[in-house]
Amino acid sequence: MTVITCIDDLKQLHRKRTPKMFYDYCESGSYTEQTFRENVSDFSQIRLRQKVAVDMAGRSTATTMAGQEVALPVALAPVGLLGMQRADGEIKAARAAAKFGVPFTLSTMSICSIEDVAAHSPDPFWFQLYVMRDEDFVDAIIERAKRAKCSALVLTLDLQILGQRHKDLKNGLSAPPKLTLPNLVNMALKTRWGLEMLGTKRRFFGNIVGHAKGVKDASSLFSWTAEQFDPCLDWSKIARIRDQWGGKFILKGVLDAEDARVAADFGADAIIVSNHGGRQLDGALSAIRMLPEIVQAVGDKTEVWLDSGIRSGQDILKALALGAKGTMAGRAYVYGLGAMGEAGVTRALEVMQKELDISMALCGEKRVQDLGRDNLLLPKGFLNNYS
């Protein structure tokens, strides 16, 4: 049995066990992938301040995110095509999150539908919305999320226009995968993945096929999605969605202090500092660099969370110490899902929790709520190196 000590161990297993097009979908950014890389590398510039002779007994990683109690200040981020990383991937991830005590966020572009995940998850989950041109579809999917008792709506702001990801185009990414010769050869080598996929009926975008007008099969699905992301999304449309939803409302994809002020004034229960994992605007600053400025701009008007670049418990610690009240992790748990299914998602959470707990203790802190700027050592210019 492989010994899993860190998220990178799961990443290596994910790469071995998942078809190339789906591994690449997870492990890629747009254009040159500069922002994708710096989301991770900028964390490594931040150092932790060690403290000794401090009572470290009675530690806890528990806190709340938007009023919800969590065992770890991490929500599983929305990831499209999760059910292609592993058969029934969204259901497996939702189960693991519920058992561990953290939120799971279901993507609009999921393989398993809202209803499917609700039927198989022991706890309510969050639903992430992409705003489409088809307002009837948007209205209907919000109502579907309400009926499924989703406990929060996460509205993504930074995907009005799809960033180009070279690997996806070269791989001919699709769900289910196109049966080209290279794909067939690659999938034939992923025996476990293939057997599990043969055993499930969930291979299309379950939230869209049969729900959007005219979308009944794979060909109509892809023509629909290519045209549907709404480039006209603005604050008036966001207000309409907020009012229709009427529950916990979270805005994801903020990377600018001015935008953050507007979002906070808008009544969001939380805003998520994110550049979509480096998959949209290549050349944007990393999320961790922008976090302190946004925290300062927002003040105590709403919670600020960080997404993009979380790969360890130490990353979580650094984000919290710079002012975040919570984090979202995407790739870290996708590696686990692709590597080991539901057990892999659980293992990813266990790894990050242990890293956070031990690092927090060695920084002289017992509770994640007590982490602050004095726990960190930052290089000169890290916060104010750009204008």
Side-chain angles (χ1 to χ4, degrees), residues 329-366:
R331 290 181 174 94
Y333 87 85
V334 176
Y335 299 150
L337 180 68
M340 300 163 56
E342 182 178 335
V345 178
T346 300
R347 188 67 188 125
L349 289 166
E350 290 172 342
V351 164
M352 290 191 289
Q353 184 178 47
K354 184 176 181 179
E355 289 171 342
L356 173 60
D357 176 63
I358 291 174
S359 300
M360 183 171 67
L362 295 175
C363 287
E365 304 292 354
K366 293 184 180 183

Side-chain angles (χ1 to χ4, degrees), residues 15 62 70 83 163 238 304 346:
R15 187 172 189 171
V70 294
I238 295 167
V304 176
T346 300

Side-chain angles (χ1 to χ4, degrees), residues 155-177:
L155 177 60
T156 295
L157 302 175
D158 59 356
L159 205 139
Q160 293 169 265
I161 298 172
L162 190 65
Q164 180 169 306
R165 299 120 194 202
H166 297 334
K167 293 175 187 174
D168 291 350
L169 292 175
K170 291 176 179 177
N171 288 331
L173 179 74
S174 66

Side-chain angles (χ1 to χ4, degrees), residues 235-251:
W235 290 108
S236 65
K237 291 189 176 185
I238 295 167
R240 175 181 175 275
I241 292 166
R242 176 200 61 195
D243 294 344
Q244 182 183 356
W245 173 249
K248 290 284 178 68
F249 189 62
I250 299 164
L251 294 175

